[in-house]
mmCIF file of all heavy atoms in Angstrom:
data_model
loop_
_atom_site.group_PDB
_atom_site.id
_atom_site.type_symbol
_atom_site.label_atom_id
_atom_site.label_comp_id
_atom_site.label_asym_id
_atom_site.label_seq_id
_atom_site.Cartn_x
_atom_site.Cartn_y
_atom_site.Cartn_z
ATOM 1 N N PRO A 738 -3.740 25.409 7.517
ATOM 2 C CA PRO A 738 -4.270 26.710 7.112
ATOM 3 C C PRO A 738 -3.811 27.803 8.104
ATOM 4 O O PRO A 738 -3.638 27.524 9.300
ATOM 5 C CB PRO A 738 -5.772 26.524 7.134
ATOM 6 C CG PRO A 738 -5.974 25.037 6.952
ATOM 7 C CD PRO A 738 -4.814 24.426 7.640
ATOM 8 N N THR A 739 -3.651 29.051 7.595
ATOM 9 C CA THR A 739 -3.252 30.156 8.474
ATOM 10 C C THR A 739 -4.437 30.846 9.103
ATOM 11 O O THR A 739 -4.252 31.735 9.933
ATOM 12 C CB THR A 739 -2.432 31.175 7.641
ATOM 13 O OG1 THR A 739 -3.178 31.568 6.515
ATOM 14 C CG2 THR A 739 -1.125 30.540 7.195
ATOM 15 N N THR A 740 -5.652 30.481 8.698
ATOM 16 C CA THR A 740 -6.857 31.114 9.292
ATOM 17 C C THR A 740 -6.941 30.670 10.762
ATOM 18 O O THR A 740 -6.653 29.506 11.083
ATOM 19 C CB THR A 740 -8.134 30.735 8.522
ATOM 20 O OG1 THR A 740 -8.157 29.291 8.421
ATOM 21 C CG2 THR A 740 -8.119 31.314 7.150
ATOM 22 N N ARG A 741 -7.389 31.597 11.614
ATOM 23 C CA ARG A 741 -7.456 31.297 13.019
ATOM 24 C C ARG A 741 -8.310 30.069 13.302
ATOM 25 O O ARG A 741 -9.427 29.943 12.826
ATOM 26 C CB ARG A 741 -8.080 32.550 13.768
ATOM 27 C CG ARG A 741 -8.523 32.306 15.207
ATOM 28 C CD ARG A 741 -7.436 32.570 16.195
ATOM 29 N NE ARG A 741 -7.166 34.001 16.311
ATOM 30 C CZ ARG A 741 -7.834 34.839 17.103
ATOM 31 N NH1 ARG A 741 -8.813 34.386 17.850
ATOM 32 N NH2 ARG A 741 -7.488 36.082 17.161
ATOM 33 N N GLY A 742 -7.776 29.156 14.142
ATOM 34 C CA GLY A 742 -8.552 28.027 14.605
ATOM 35 C C GLY A 742 -8.283 26.726 13.849
ATOM 36 O O GLY A 742 -8.963 25.744 14.063
ATOM 37 N N ALA A 743 -7.348 26.745 12.913
ATOM 38 C CA ALA A 743 -7.018 25.484 12.177
ATOM 39 C C ALA A 743 -6.410 24.477 13.155
ATOM 40 O O ALA A 743 -5.603 24.841 14.013
ATOM 41 C CB ALA A 743 -6.096 25.777 11.034
ATOM 42 N N ILE A 744 -6.831 23.224 12.982
ATOM 43 C CA ILE A 744 -6.247 22.175 13.878
ATOM 44 C C ILE A 744 -4.766 22.046 13.714
ATOM 45 O O ILE A 744 -4.256 22.031 12.595
ATOM 46 C CB ILE A 744 -6.957 20.819 13.595
ATOM 47 C CG1 ILE A 744 -8.446 20.912 14.016
ATOM 48 C CG2 ILE A 744 -6.287 19.661 14.275
ATOM 49 C CD1 ILE A 744 -9.250 19.671 13.645
ATOM 50 N N GLY A 745 -4.079 21.957 14.828
ATOM 51 C CA GLY A 745 -2.612 21.862 14.786
ATOM 52 C C GLY A 745 -1.917 23.222 14.813
ATOM 53 O O GLY A 745 -0.672 23.274 14.806
ATOM 54 N N GLN A 746 -2.711 24.267 14.862
ATOM 55 C CA GLN A 746 -2.105 25.634 14.826
ATOM 56 C C GLN A 746 -1.684 26.043 16.231
ATOM 57 O O GLN A 746 -2.476 26.083 17.145
ATOM 58 C CB GLN A 746 -3.159 26.589 14.280
ATOM 59 C CG GLN A 746 -2.692 27.989 13.978
ATOM 60 C CD GLN A 746 -3.812 28.816 13.406
ATOM 61 O OE1 GLN A 746 -4.732 29.263 14.134
ATOM 62 N NE2 GLN A 746 -3.818 28.990 12.085
ATOM 63 N N PRO A 747 -0.414 26.409 16.451
ATOM 64 C CA PRO A 747 -0.022 26.909 17.741
ATOM 65 C C PRO A 747 -0.420 28.391 17.889
ATOM 66 O O PRO A 747 -0.305 29.176 16.933
ATOM 67 C CB PRO A 747 1.539 26.778 17.730
ATOM 68 C CG PRO A 747 1.894 26.752 16.298
ATOM 69 C CD PRO A 747 0.712 26.254 15.523
ATOM 70 N N LEU A 748 -0.900 28.773 19.053
ATOM 71 C CA LEU A 748 -1.382 30.147 19.254
ATOM 72 C C LEU A 748 -0.682 30.690 20.508
ATOM 73 O O LEU A 748 -0.578 30.044 21.541
ATOM 74 C CB LEU A 748 -2.865 30.180 19.462
ATOM 75 C CG LEU A 748 -3.690 29.757 18.191
ATOM 76 C CD1 LEU A 748 -5.207 29.692 18.573
ATOM 77 C CD2 LEU A 748 -3.486 30.704 17.042
ATOM 78 N N LEU A 749 -0.235 31.954 20.432
ATOM 79 C CA LEU A 749 0.410 32.663 21.545
ATOM 80 C C LEU A 749 -0.526 33.706 22.067
ATOM 81 O O LEU A 749 -0.999 34.606 21.366
ATOM 82 C CB LEU A 749 1.706 33.315 21.008
ATOM 83 C CG LEU A 749 2.493 34.161 22.003
ATOM 84 C CD1 LEU A 749 3.190 33.260 23.066
ATOM 85 C CD2 LEU A 749 3.556 35.011 21.297
ATOM 86 N N ASN A 750 -0.736 33.668 23.387
ATOM 87 C CA ASN A 750 -1.516 34.683 24.069
ATOM 88 C C ASN A 750 -0.637 35.858 24.370
ATOM 89 O O ASN A 750 0.470 35.735 24.821
ATOM 90 C CB ASN A 750 -2.115 34.137 25.385
ATOM 91 C CG ASN A 750 -3.020 35.158 26.084
ATOM 92 O OD1 ASN A 750 -4.062 35.507 25.513
ATOM 93 N ND2 ASN A 750 -2.650 35.611 27.270
ATOM 94 N N THR A 751 -1.101 37.071 24.005
ATOM 95 C CA THR A 751 -0.230 38.263 24.072
ATOM 96 C C THR A 751 -0.662 39.278 25.154
ATOM 97 O O THR A 751 -0.134 40.376 25.192
ATOM 98 C CB THR A 751 -0.245 38.973 22.719
ATOM 99 O OG1 THR A 751 -1.563 39.372 22.353
ATOM 100 C CG2 THR A 751 0.345 38.058 21.640
ATOM 101 N N ARG A 752 -1.580 38.923 26.029
ATOM 102 C CA ARG A 752 -1.997 39.863 27.089
ATOM 103 C C ARG A 752 -2.467 39.092 28.294
ATOM 104 O O ARG A 752 -3.115 38.040 28.190
ATOM 105 C CB ARG A 752 -3.122 40.776 26.577
ATOM 106 C CG ARG A 752 -3.579 41.835 27.572
ATOM 107 C CD ARG A 752 -4.632 42.742 26.904
ATOM 108 N NE ARG A 752 -5.854 42.052 26.557
ATOM 109 C CZ ARG A 752 -6.883 41.842 27.408
ATOM 110 N NH1 ARG A 752 -6.831 42.305 28.655
ATOM 111 N NH2 ARG A 752 -7.939 41.197 26.995
ATOM 112 N N ASN A 753 -2.132 39.601 29.527
ATOM 113 C CA ASN A 753 -2.662 39.021 30.712
ATOM 114 C C ASN A 753 -4.187 39.224 30.717
ATOM 115 O O ASN A 753 -4.709 40.298 30.510
ATOM 116 C CB ASN A 753 -2.090 39.689 31.959
ATOM 117 C CG ASN A 753 -0.607 39.465 32.068
ATOM 118 O OD1 ASN A 753 -0.051 38.572 31.456
ATOM 119 N ND2 ASN A 753 0.108 40.302 32.837
ATOM 120 N N ASP A 754 -4.919 38.094 30.966
ATOM 121 C CA ASP A 754 -6.387 38.129 30.834
ATOM 122 C C ASP A 754 -6.982 37.464 32.091
ATOM 123 O O ASP A 754 -6.954 36.244 32.232
ATOM 124 C CB ASP A 754 -6.798 37.387 29.541
ATOM 125 C CG ASP A 754 -8.287 37.528 29.252
ATOM 126 O OD1 ASP A 754 -9.074 37.974 30.180
ATOM 127 O OD2 ASP A 754 -8.714 37.294 28.147
#
Side-chain angles (χ1 to χ4, degrees):
T739 55
T740 52
R741 167 90 70 87
I744 292 175
Q746 189 179 76
L748 296 174
L749 177 72
N750 184 63
T751 59
R752 182 176 65 88
N753 297 341
D754 190 343

